[in-house]
Amino acid sequence: QVQLVESGGGLVQPGGSLRLSCAASGSISNIYDMGWYRQAPENQREWIATITRGGSSNYAESVKGRFTISRDNAKNTAYLQMNSLKPDDTGIYSCWGTTWNRRANYWGQGTQVTVSS
């Protein structure tokens, strides 16, 4: 019913910035909260940020102060602004969305972020 497509990943040097986008399509009226997760090599998937439909956000301690999650409901798009990137930020970043009661969860296929000199 809902499709999420990420974009904006790539290769960046330490200290650099990237802005990821997550475009939603389909039955998008079902989506309330959205978020970003990442999976680093040999690590399990890690939650990094969530934003409610009203714009309230929460962050993992590892990215707090460096990453900013936002959304534009009119454009059906969520964003993740990543600043002061570190090599440990390397991984596949996936967008997530859920219904108001979290009975349904939707995932994008991910976009690769590589932080390396």
Side-chain angles (χ1 to χ4, degrees):
Q1 295 181 347
V2 174
Q3 292 185 350
L4 304 175
V5 180
E6 303 95 337
S7 62
L11 175 65
V12 64
Q13 66 182 23
S17 298
L18 283 175
R19 185 173 184 254
L20 307 182
S21 298
C22 173
S25 62
S27 187
I28 54 179
S29 61
N30 292 337
I31 299 298
Y32 277 71
D33 297 345
M34 301 184 72
W36 289 92
Y37 291 71
R38 70 186 179 192
Q39 186 168 5
E42 300 182 353
N43 285 7
Q44 293 186 334
R45 186 176 61 191
E46 174 191 15
W47 168 78
I48 55 176
T50 299
I51 186 168
T52 68
R53 191 162 186 169
S56 180
S57 59
N58 289 294
Y59 299 90
E61 288 295 326
S62 59
V63 305
K64 191 174 298 182
R66 300 187 297 120
F67 291 10
T68 302
I69 187 172
S70 61
R71 66 191 296 172
D72 187 336
N73 292 334
K75 296 181 178 180
N76 304 314
T77 302
Y79 306 93
L80 185 68
Q81 178 67 47
M82 305 184 295
N83 299 324
S84 302
L85 284 163
K86 306 173 182 179
D88 287 348
D89 294 321
T90 294
I92 299 174
Y93 284 69
S94 299
C95 180
W96 163 83
T98 190
T99 55
W100 71 272
N101 59 2
R102 297 198 175 188
R103 297 296 292 179
N105 297 278
Y106 304 95
W107 293 90
Q109 291 189 326
T111 183
Q112 177 70 43
V113 173
T114 302
V115 184
S116 179
S117 299

